Amino acid sequence: MTAQLLITLGVLAFALPIAKKRLDLSRAKHPSLTGHSRMAKRVASWLPGYEFNQEKFFACDDAPKLIAQQRENSFYSLAQTLQSKHPLSIAMTGQAREIISDLQFTGAYRVPFQFSPIVRENLKVGAFIQSADGIYVTDLDGQRFFDLTGSYGVNVFGADFYKACMHEGSEKVKNLGATLGAYHPCVLDNVSKLKSISGLDEVSFHMSGTEAVMQAVRLARYHTQRKNLVRFCGAYHGWWEDVQPGPGNPMPPRETYTLRDMHANSLHVLRTRNDIACVLINPLQALHLNQGAPADSSLVDSSRKASFERQTYTAWLKDVRRVCTEKGIVLIFDEVFMGFRLAKGGAQEYFGVKADMVTYGKTLGGGLPVGVVCGRSDLMKRFRPSRPADVCFARGTFNAHPHVMGSMSVFLEKLETQECLSVYEGLDERWNERRIKFNESMAQNGFPLRAANMSSVWSLYYTEPCRYNWMLQYFLRSHGLALSWVGTGRLIFSLNYSDADFQAVLSRFVSACHEMEEGGWFWHPPQMTNKLIKRQIFKEMFFQ
Ligand SMILES: Cc1ncc(COP(=O)(O)O)c(C=O)c1O
């Protein structure tokens, strides 16, 4: 054998396993752009912006003149209704928009960008409210809305519950004020309750869910001495760079593998690589596997889908658990959103799967901002006595702030009362029945709208190909239903909705859908498909 052949064989023996691992990784990515962070970022930077003029706005689907006119009339009449019902709220929002960057962003991304300028100019929505009680919020004009925003998931038990937590909590800690560093005695009780709820050994406090996830991942890297984290395609874990490797973050993807959710190829990657520190699970993804947050800004057609199968997702989590145990990968449940919503013991209890670390946030602060990590004690340690200089640093000025701890303490006390515990009884059945009722009503009325749900978190989707579904959020608003800026993709019900409350919400949906229909917004050309809509948008982008 020549020396050259030997060298070639040597190189191949070295390179082939690396190439195979790389190939396995590619095969474990979801084929959509969401599954390819690097490419998605590139595409996002290429896509040109454009906006519809008045004529195109009402007939971008080549609607006949009559339909376009119907839409135009309906649009301006709705604009007038909103303006006359909410003048003070709208005026204050107009002033604030110039100087609150967040408002500019949410205002621009309520609807698909082509429609956004005309919508912003005319369909004005108030961003200010004066009070919240029961299941309602009231704006500056005294108009009451059913609250379907759930305060981004914080509001699990109803507005009054959190008012009580905050009030009683601040009474509890008032002698400490804002003294930081030393703890209020209620902290010890919080920690012991959290240990029992999570079934884990130690607890650390942070100021937001994003920070809690950052800390959990940092600890997993420290203890495993591995760099990479795994998140599943589409999952949100806060806005820190490593968990948001795609569009939205100016930095290129770093040590993050975005794998396909509920797929054998992903298990294979977990089983065969040795550089994975942790796997992050956001249980909410079970409702829209491998897709990003279902915001109405991307409701350009009707291809959005959602569904949830508890048994299948449970089996998947058990598989992930098994592989993580085999490979010493830290399994982190990110329960910042879903914690305390599905069951008292959260997703761990609901799916019957134990994690190595769990992050909580949102509702756990009893209305105040918080992030919490619970974990096995060997994973939570931030130092190694044998290597004293090699620490895993994490601090935060406001961590364990007395008022947050006070409010959390009342939250955790109330959680143990019969009143709260009884809310969890038959919870899934209750919300599933409501979803069935909703879908039956939509079908009976012939509306192309359906709901999918994971308990009290709902996602709406549309059954007919149409470019104007995003209009529904404005009709819902005019019928007294408050949605968050992501629109109909996510409704979050607090658990204090009674059957009668739900029935009232449903009736308003029916009325709003009637107006959508009468306004010609559900109309679409008979030959239209979602594929054709996408093709139309491509043409608009590059050839008009
Ligand atoms: C699953 C999950 N993780 C982390 C976060 C980030 O939490 P925060 O907004 O408190 O930083 C969120 C927020 O929506 C979330 O849903």
Side-chain angles (χ1 to χ4, degrees), residues 321-351:
R321 173 67 278 178
R322 210 168 298 121
V323 181
C324 285
T325 306
E326 273 167 37
K327 293 288 296 185
I329 298 170
V330 180
L331 179 60
I332 304 171
F333 273 17
D334 178 0
E335 299 209 34
V336 168
F337 195 99
M338 292 307 276
F340 305 96
R341 185 169 280 277
L342 298 173
K344 184 186 167 206
Q348 290 195 103
E349 177 187 328
Y350 184 81
F351 292 109

PDB file of all heavy atoms in Angstrom, residues 321-351:
ATOM      1  N   ARG A 321     -36.738  11.890  27.821  1.00  0.00           N
ATOM      2  CA  ARG A 321     -36.233  11.662  29.186  1.00  0.00           C
ATOM      3  C   ARG A 321     -35.243  10.487  29.203  1.00  0.00           C
ATOM      4  O   ARG A 321     -34.164  10.554  29.788  1.00  0.00           O
ATOM      5  CB  ARG A 321     -37.426  11.411  30.115  1.00  0.00           C
ATOM      6  CG  ARG A 321     -37.160  10.986  31.545  1.00  0.00           C
ATOM      7  CD  ARG A 321     -36.506  12.035  32.413  1.00  0.00           C
ATOM      8  NE  ARG A 321     -35.067  12.106  32.259  1.00  0.00           N
ATOM      9  CZ  ARG A 321     -34.287  12.975  32.899  1.00  0.00           C
ATOM     10  NH1 ARG A 321     -34.804  13.853  33.716  1.00  0.00           N
ATOM     11  NH2 ARG A 321     -32.991  12.986  32.712  1.00  0.00           N
ATOM     12  N   ARG A 322     -35.635   9.408  28.543  1.00  0.00           N
ATOM     13  CA  ARG A 322     -34.810   8.191  28.533  1.00  0.00           C
ATOM     14  C   ARG A 322     -33.433   8.485  27.915  1.00  0.00           C
ATOM     15  O   ARG A 322     -32.413   8.152  28.501  1.00  0.00           O
ATOM     16  CB  ARG A 322     -35.533   7.100  27.718  1.00  0.00           C
ATOM     17  CG  ARG A 322     -35.227   5.698  28.203  1.00  0.00           C
ATOM     18  CD  ARG A 322     -36.158   4.673  27.586  1.00  0.00           C
ATOM     19  NE  ARG A 322     -37.555   4.882  27.918  1.00  0.00           N
ATOM     20  CZ  ARG A 322     -38.548   5.088  27.052  1.00  0.00           C
ATOM     21  NH1 ARG A 322     -38.315   5.135  25.753  1.00  0.00           N
ATOM     22  NH2 ARG A 322     -39.795   5.244  27.459  1.00  0.00           N
ATOM     23  N   VAL A 323     -33.430   9.133  26.768  1.00  0.00           N
ATOM     24  CA  VAL A 323     -32.155   9.400  26.085  1.00  0.00           C
ATOM     25  C   VAL A 323     -31.300  10.353  26.922  1.00  0.00           C
ATOM     26  O   VAL A 323     -30.078  10.177  27.020  1.00  0.00           O
ATOM     27  CB  VAL A 323     -32.392  10.016  24.680  1.00  0.00           C
ATOM     28  CG1 VAL A 323     -31.080  10.258  23.972  1.00  0.00           C
ATOM     29  CG2 VAL A 323     -33.248   9.105  23.854  1.00  0.00           C
ATOM     30  N   CYS A 324     -31.922  11.355  27.513  1.00  0.00           N
ATOM     31  CA  CYS A 324     -31.146  12.307  28.329  1.00  0.00           C
ATOM     32  C   CYS A 324     -30.491  11.579  29.501  1.00  0.00           C
ATOM     33  O   CYS A 324     -29.331  11.833  29.829  1.00  0.00           O
ATOM     34  CB  CYS A 324     -32.046  13.428  28.843  1.00  0.00           C
ATOM     35  SG  CYS A 324     -32.471  14.603  27.565  1.00  0.00           S
ATOM     36  N   THR A 325     -31.242  10.679  30.114  1.00  0.00           N
ATOM     37  CA  THR A 325     -30.662   9.924  31.235  1.00  0.00           C
ATOM     38  C   THR A 325     -29.493   9.081  30.747  1.00  0.00           C
ATOM     39  O   THR A 325     -28.420   9.084  31.353  1.00  0.00           O
ATOM     40  CB  THR A 325     -31.741   9.021  31.880  1.00  0.00           C
ATOM     41  OG1 THR A 325     -32.850   9.850  32.216  1.00  0.00           O
ATOM     42  CG2 THR A 325     -31.234   8.326  33.125  1.00  0.00           C
ATOM     43  N   GLU A 326     -29.694   8.382  29.629  1.00  0.00           N
ATOM     44  CA  GLU A 326     -28.607   7.538  29.080  1.00  0.00           C
ATOM     45  C   GLU A 326     -27.343   8.344  28.819  1.00  0.00           C
ATOM     46  O   GLU A 326     -26.238   7.894  29.062  1.00  0.00           O
ATOM     47  CB  GLU A 326     -29.034   6.991  27.707  1.00  0.00           C
ATOM     48  CG  GLU A 326     -29.823   5.697  27.732  1.00  0.00           C
ATOM     49  CD  GLU A 326     -30.453   5.467  26.339  1.00  0.00           C
ATOM     50  OE1 GLU A 326     -29.821   5.773  25.292  1.00  0.00           O
ATOM     51  OE2 GLU A 326     -31.590   5.010  26.342  1.00  0.00           O
ATOM     52  N   LYS A 327     -27.522   9.566  28.297  1.00  0.00           N
ATOM     53  CA  LYS A 327     -26.366  10.342  27.819  1.00  0.00           C
ATOM     54  C   LYS A 327     -25.896  11.422  28.798  1.00  0.00           C
ATOM     55  O   LYS A 327     -25.019  12.223  28.467  1.00  0.00           O
ATOM     56  CB  LYS A 327     -26.736  11.027  26.483  1.00  0.00           C
ATOM     57  CG  LYS A 327     -26.950  10.072  25.349  1.00  0.00           C
ATOM     58  CD  LYS A 327     -25.664   9.445  24.859  1.00  0.00           C
ATOM     59  CE  LYS A 327     -24.714  10.454  24.267  1.00  0.00           C
ATOM     60  NZ  LYS A 327     -23.514   9.874  23.691  1.00  0.00           N
ATOM     61  N   GLY A 328     -26.489  11.491  29.960  1.00  0.00           N
ATOM     62  CA  GLY A 328     -26.079  12.527  30.918  1.00  0.00           C
ATOM     63  C   GLY A 328     -26.389  13.930  30.434  1.00  0.00           C
ATOM     64  O   GLY A 328     -25.702  14.896  30.774  1.00  0.00           O
ATOM     65  N   ILE A 329     -27.445  14.061  29.613  1.00  0.00           N
ATOM     66  CA  ILE A 329     -27.875  15.397  29.145  1.00  0.00           C
ATOM     67  C   ILE A 329     -28.894  15.942  30.154  1.00  0.00           C
ATOM     68  O   ILE A 329     -29.769  15.199  30.614  1.00  0.00           O
ATOM     69  CB  ILE A 329     -28.525  15.289  27.740  1.00  0.00           C
ATOM     70  CG1 ILE A 329     -27.502  14.761  26.724  1.00  0.00           C
ATOM     71  CG2 ILE A 329     -29.105  16.611  27.295  1.00  0.00           C
ATOM     72  CD1 ILE A 329     -28.089  14.394  25.370  1.00  0.00           C
ATOM     73  N   VAL A 330     -28.755  17.206  30.476  1.00  0.00           N
ATOM     74  CA  VAL A 330     -29.673  17.792  31.462  1.00  0.00           C
ATOM     75  C   VAL A 330     -31.009  18.116  30.784  1.00  0.00           C
ATOM     76  O   VAL A 330     -31.045  18.871  29.805  1.00  0.00           O
ATOM     77  CB  VAL A 330     -29.061  19.082  32.062  1.00  0.00           C
ATOM     78  CG1 VAL A 330     -30.006  19.691  33.092  1.00  0.00           C
ATOM     79  CG2 VAL A 330     -27.690  18.797  32.663  1.00  0.00           C
ATOM     80  N   LEU A 331     -32.067  17.547  31.308  1.00  0.00           N
ATOM     81  CA  LEU A 331     -33.393  17.808  30.735  1.00  0.00           C
ATOM     82  C   LEU A 331     -34.034  18.965  31.496  1.00  0.00           C
ATOM     83  O   LEU A 331     -34.284  18.864  32.707  1.00  0.00           O
ATOM     84  CB  LEU A 331     -34.271  16.553  30.825  1.00  0.00           C
ATOM     85  CG  LEU A 331     -35.690  16.696  30.292  1.00  0.00           C
ATOM     86  CD1 LEU A 331     -35.708  17.088  28.808  1.00  0.00           C
ATOM     87  CD2 LEU A 331     -36.486  15.405  30.487  1.00  0.00           C
ATOM     88  N   ILE A 332     -34.259  20.061  30.776  1.00  0.00           N
ATOM     89  CA  ILE A 332     -34.841  21.257  31.414  1.00  0.00           C
ATOM     90  C   ILE A 332     -36.258  21.467  30.894  1.00  0.00           C
ATOM     91  O   ILE A 332     -36.464  21.613  29.684  1.00  0.00           O
ATOM     92  CB  ILE A 332     -34.000  22.525  31.084  1.00  0.00           C
ATOM     93  CG1 ILE A 332     -32.540  22.322  31.491  1.00  0.00           C
ATOM     94  CG2 ILE A 332     -34.594  23.744  31.768  1.00  0.00           C
ATOM     95  CD1 ILE A 332     -31.606  23.432  30.995  1.00  0.00           C
ATOM     96  N   PHE A 333     -37.217  21.469  31.799  1.00  0.00           N
ATOM     97  CA  PHE A 333     -38.580  21.851  31.413  1.00  0.00           C
ATOM     98  C   PHE A 333     -38.702  23.348  31.621  1.00  0.00           C
ATOM     99  O   PHE A 333     -38.513  23.828  32.745  1.00  0.00           O
ATOM    100  CB  PHE A 333     -39.621  21.137  32.286  1.00  0.00           C
ATOM    101  CG  PHE A 333     -40.025  19.780  31.772  1.00  0.00           C
ATOM    102  CD1 PHE A 333     -39.270  19.097  30.824  1.00  0.00           C
ATOM    103  CD2 PHE A 333     -41.188  19.172  32.254  1.00  0.00           C
ATOM    104  CE1 PHE A 333     -39.648  17.852  30.356  1.00  0.00           C
ATOM    105  CE2 PHE A 333     -41.579  17.925  31.790  1.00  0.00           C
ATOM    106  CZ  PHE A 333     -40.806  17.262  30.843  1.00  0.00           C
ATOM    107  N   ASP A 334     -38.995  24.056  30.556  1.00  0.00           N
ATOM    108  CA  ASP A 334     -39.220  25.489  30.683  1.00  0.00           C
ATOM    109  C   ASP A 334     -40.721  25.697  30.883  1.00  0.00           C
ATOM    110  O   ASP A 334     -41.495  25.718  29.929  1.00  0.00           O
ATOM    111  CB  ASP A 334     -38.714  26.200  29.416  1.00  0.00           C
ATOM    112  CG  ASP A 334     -38.966  27.696  29.481  1.00  0.00           C
ATOM    113  OD1 ASP A 334     -39.521  28.173  30.493  1.00  0.00           O
ATOM    114  OD2 ASP A 334     -38.614  28.392  28.511  1.00  0.00           O
ATOM    115  N   GLU A 335     -41.092  25.828  32.166  1.00  0.00           N
ATOM    116  CA  GLU A 335     -42.514  25.973  32.508  1.00  0.00           C
ATOM    117  C   GLU A 335     -42.868  27.428  32.808  1.00  0.00           C
ATOM    118  O   GLU A 335     -43.820  27.691  33.538  1.00  0.00           O
ATOM    119  CB  GLU A 335     -42.846  25.092  33.702  1.00  0.00           C
ATOM    120  CG  GLU A 335     -42.609  23.609  33.428  1.00  0.00           C
ATOM    121  CD  GLU A 335     -43.531  22.745  34.243  1.00  0.00           C
ATOM    122  OE1 GLU A 335     -44.684  23.162  34.477  1.00  0.00           O
ATOM    123  OE2 GLU A 335     -43.093  21.661  34.650  1.00  0.00           O
ATOM    124  N   VAL A 336     -42.062  28.333  32.263  1.00  0.00           N
ATOM    125  CA  VAL A 336     -42.333  29.752  32.510  1.00  0.00           C
ATOM    126  C   VAL A 336     -43.759  30.092  32.075  1.00  0.00           C
ATOM    127  O   VAL A 336     -44.488  30.784  32.772  1.00  0.00           O
ATOM    128  CB  VAL A 336     -41.293  30.634  31.782  1.00  0.00           C
ATOM    129  CG1 VAL A 336     -41.713  32.099  31.787  1.00  0.00           C
ATOM    130  CG2 VAL A 336     -39.924  30.483  32.434  1.00  0.00           C
ATOM    131  N   PHE A 337     -44.166  29.554  30.956  1.00  0.00           N
ATOM    132  CA  PHE A 337     -45.518  29.859  30.458  1.00  0.00           C
ATOM    133  C   PHE A 337     -46.574  28.918  31.051  1.00  0.00           C
ATOM    134  O   PHE A 337     -47.613  29.355  31.532  1.00  0.00           O
ATOM    135  CB  PHE A 337     -45.538  29.762  28.930  1.00  0.00           C
ATOM    136  CG  PHE A 337     -46.750  30.393  28.317  1.00  0.00           C
ATOM    137  CD1 PHE A 337     -46.686  31.670  27.797  1.00  0.00           C
ATOM    138  CD2 PHE A 337     -47.972  29.729  28.288  1.00  0.00           C
ATOM    139  CE1 PHE A 337     -47.812  32.266  27.255  1.00  0.00           C
ATOM    140  CE2 PHE A 337     -49.100  30.318  27.747  1.00  0.00           C
ATOM    141  CZ  PHE A 337     -49.018  31.595  27.228  1.00  0.00           C
ATOM    142  N   MET A 338     -46.310  27.627  30.981  1.00  0.00           N
ATOM    143  CA  MET A 338     -47.372  26.665  31.305  1.00  0.00           C
ATOM    144  C   MET A 338     -47.418  26.249  32.779  1.00  0.00           C
ATOM    145  O   MET A 338     -48.368  25.615  33.212  1.00  0.00           O
ATOM    146  CB  MET A 338     -47.235  25.413  30.436  1.00  0.00           C
ATOM    147  CG  MET A 338     -47.527  25.646  28.961  1.00  0.00           C
ATOM    148  SD  MET A 338     -49.114  26.433  28.641  1.00  0.00           S
ATOM    149  CE  MET A 338     -50.236  25.033  28.644  1.00  0.00           C
ATOM    150  N   GLY A 339     -46.379  26.617  33.548  1.00  0.00           N
ATOM    151  CA  GLY A 339     -46.348  26.224  34.953  1.00  0.00           C
ATOM    152  C   GLY A 339     -47.599  26.679  35.685  1.00  0.00           C
ATOM    153  O   GLY A 339     -48.050  27.798  35.482  1.00  0.00           O
ATOM    154  N   PHE A 340     -48.185  25.818  36.487  1.00  0.00           N
ATOM    155  CA  PHE A 340     -49.360  26.095  37.327  1.00  0.00           C
ATOM    156  C   PHE A 340     -50.648  26.263  36.514  1.00  0.00           C
ATOM    157  O   PHE A 340     -51.694  26.542  37.058  1.00  0.00           O
ATOM    158  CB  PHE A 340     -49.149  27.351  38.192  1.00  0.00           C
ATOM    159  CG  PHE A 340     -47.905  27.262  39.035  1.00  0.00           C
ATOM    160  CD1 PHE A 340     -46.710  27.817  38.615  1.00  0.00           C
ATOM    161  CD2 PHE A 340     -47.941  26.565  40.246  1.00  0.00           C
ATOM    162  CE1 PHE A 340     -45.563  27.711  39.376  1.00  0.00           C
ATOM    163  CE2 PHE A 340     -46.787  26.451  41.022  1.00  0.00           C
ATOM    164  CZ  PHE A 340     -45.598  27.028  40.582  1.00  0.00           C
ATOM    165  N   ARG A 341     -50.555  26.090  35.210  1.00  0.00           N
ATOM    166  CA  ARG A 341     -51.749  26.247  34.378  1.00  0.00           C
ATOM    167  C   ARG A 341     -52.386  24.889  34.082  1.00  0.00           C
ATOM    168  O   ARG A 341     -53.614  24.755  33.999  1.00  0.00           O
ATOM    169  CB  ARG A 341     -51.389  26.957  33.070  1.00  0.00           C
ATOM    170  CG  ARG A 341     -52.572  27.278  32.178  1.00  0.00           C
ATOM    171  CD  ARG A 341     -52.201  28.194  31.049  1.00  0.00           C
ATOM    172  NE  ARG A 341     -52.140  29.583  31.467  1.00  0.00           N
ATOM    173  CZ  ARG A 341     -53.192  30.394  31.565  1.00  0.00           C
ATOM    174  NH1 ARG A 341     -54.401  29.954  31.261  1.00  0.00           N
ATOM    175  NH2 ARG A 341     -53.060  31.644  31.951  1.00  0.00           N
ATOM    176  N   LEU A 342     -51.547  23.855  33.917  1.00  0.00           N
ATOM    177  CA  LEU A 342     -52.070  22.536  33.545  1.00  0.00           C
ATOM    178  C   LEU A 342     -52.418  21.714  34.786  1.00  0.00           C
ATOM    179  O   LEU A 342     -53.327  20.893  34.767  1.00  0.00           O
ATOM    180  CB  LEU A 342     -51.015  21.772  32.732  1.00  0.00           C
ATOM    181  CG  LEU A 342     -50.600  22.396  31.402  1.00  0.00           C
ATOM    182  CD1 LEU A 342     -49.439  21.640  30.800  1.00  0.00           C
ATOM    183  CD2 LEU A 342     -51.781  22.414  30.435  1.00  0.00           C
ATOM    184  N   ALA A 343     -51.613  21.912  35.822  1.00  0.00           N
ATOM    185  CA  ALA A 343     -51.798  21.159  37.069  1.00  0.00           C
ATOM    186  C   ALA A 343     -50.988  21.876  38.136  1.00  0.00           C
ATOM    187  O   ALA A 343     -50.102  22.671  37.800  1.00  0.00           O
ATOM    188  CB  ALA A 343     -51.273  19.733  36.899  1.00  0.00           C
ATOM    189  N   LYS A 344     -51.248  21.566  39.398  1.00  0.00           N
ATOM    190  CA  LYS A 344     -50.476  22.242  40.451  1.00  0.00           C
ATOM    191  C   LYS A 344     -48.980  21.930  40.279  1.00  0.00           C
ATOM    192  O   LYS A 344     -48.130  22.792  40.431  1.00  0.00           O
ATOM    193  CB  LYS A 344     -50.977  21.789  41.826  1.00  0.00           C
ATOM    194  CG  LYS A 344     -50.297  22.525  42.945  1.00  0.00           C
ATOM    195  CD  LYS A 344     -50.690  21.988  44.316  1.00  0.00           C
ATOM    196  CE  LYS A 344     -49.728  22.546  45.365  1.00  0.00           C
ATOM    197  NZ  LYS A 344     -49.615  21.694  46.529  1.00  0.00           N
ATOM    198  N   GLY A 345     -48.682  20.689  39.938  1.00  0.00           N
ATOM    199  CA  GLY A 345     -47.281  20.300  39.742  1.00  0.00           C
ATOM    200  C   GLY A 345     -46.786  20.577  38.329  1.00  0.00           C
ATOM    201  O   GLY A 345     -45.743  20.060  37.926  1.00  0.00           O
ATOM    202  N   GLY A 346     -47.539  21.343  37.582  1.00  0.00           N
ATOM    203  CA  GLY A 346     -47.106  21.783  36.259  1.00  0.00           C
ATOM    204  C   GLY A 346     -46.996  20.667  35.235  1.00  0.00           C
ATOM    205  O   GLY A 346     -47.626  19.601  35.360  1.00  0.00           O
ATOM    206  N   ALA A 347     -46.153  20.902  34.225  1.00  0.00           N
ATOM    207  CA  ALA A 347     -46.034  19.947  33.114  1.00  0.00           C
ATOM    208  C   ALA A 347     -45.455  18.615  33.583  1.00  0.00           C
ATOM    209  O   ALA A 347     -45.785  17.563  33.046  1.00  0.00           O
ATOM    210  CB  ALA A 347     -45.180  20.545  32.011  1.00  0.00           C
ATOM    211  N   GLN A 348     -44.595  18.674  34.591  1.00  0.00           N
ATOM    212  CA  GLN A 348     -44.028  17.410  35.099  1.00  0.00           C
ATOM    213  C   GLN A 348     -45.159  16.487  35.571  1.00  0.00           C
ATOM    214  O   GLN A 348     -45.176  15.309  35.253  1.00  0.00           O
ATOM    215  CB  GLN A 348     -43.093  17.676  36.268  1.00  0.00           C
ATOM    216  CG  GLN A 348     -41.802  18.359  35.926  1.00  0.00           C
ATOM    217  CD  GLN A 348     -40.812  18.238  37.086  1.00  0.00           C
ATOM    218  OE1 GLN A 348     -39.896  17.442  37.025  1.00  0.00           O
ATOM    219  NE2 GLN A 348     -41.027  19.013  38.129  1.00  0.00           N
ATOM    220  N   GLU A 349     -46.075  17.067  36.327  1.00  0.00           N
ATOM    221  CA  GLU A 349     -47.189  16.258  36.843  1.00  0.00           C
ATOM    222  C   GLU A 349     -48.143  15.871  35.711  1.00  0.00           C
ATOM    223  O   GLU A 349     -48.554  14.723  35.582  1.00  0.00           O
ATOM    224  CB  GLU A 349     -47.944  17.065  37.904  1.00  0.00           C
ATOM    225  CG  GLU A 349     -49.159  16.335  38.460  1.00  0.00           C
ATOM    226  CD  GLU A 349     -49.990  17.227  39.398  1.00  0.00           C
ATOM    227  OE1 GLU A 349     -49.432  18.103  40.094  1.00  0.00           O
ATOM    228  OE2 GLU A 349     -51.236  17.045  39.407  1.00  0.00           O
ATOM    229  N   TYR A 350     -48.430  16.837  34.861  1.00  0.00           N
ATOM    230  CA  TYR A 350     -49.434  16.635  33.806  1.00  0.00           C
ATOM    231  C   TYR A 350     -49.008  15.539  32.832  1.00  0.00           C
ATOM    232  O   TYR A 350     -49.810  14.725  32.417  1.00  0.00           O
ATOM    233  CB  TYR A 350     -49.594  17.978  33.079  1.00  0.00           C
ATOM    234  CG  TYR A 350     -50.656  18.035  32.014  1.00  0.00           C
ATOM    235  CD1 TYR A 350     -51.991  18.219  32.350  1.00  0.00           C
ATOM    236  CD2 TYR A 350     -50.312  17.953  30.670  1.00  0.00           C
ATOM    237  CE1 TYR A 350     -52.959  18.320  31.363  1.00  0.00           C
ATOM    238  CE2 TYR A 350     -51.277  18.053  29.677  1.00  0.00           C
ATOM    239  CZ  TYR A 350     -52.601  18.230  30.033  1.00  0.00           C
ATOM    240  OH  TYR A 350     -53.553  18.335  29.066  1.00  0.00           O
ATOM    241  N   PHE A 351     -47.703  15.536  32.474  1.00  0.00           N
ATOM    242  CA  PHE A 351     -47.226  14.534  31.507  1.00  0.00           C
ATOM    243  C   PHE A 351     -46.579  13.329  32.201  1.00  0.00           C
ATOM    244  O   PHE A 351     -46.197  12.370  31.530  1.00  0.00           O
ATOM    245  CB  PHE A 351     -46.214  15.157  30.534  1.00  0.00           C
ATOM    246  CG  PHE A 351     -46.838  16.168  29.605  1.00  0.00           C
ATOM    247  CD1 PHE A 351     -46.578  17.519  29.750  1.00  0.00           C
ATOM    248  CD2 PHE A 351     -47.698  15.764  28.590  1.00  0.00           C
ATOM    249  CE1 PHE A 351     -47.152  18.452  28.900  1.00  0.00           C
ATOM    250  CE2 PHE A 351     -48.272  16.691  27.733  1.00  0.00           C
ATOM    251  CZ  PHE A 351     -48.004  18.040  27.886  1.00  0.00           C
TER     252      PHE A 351
END
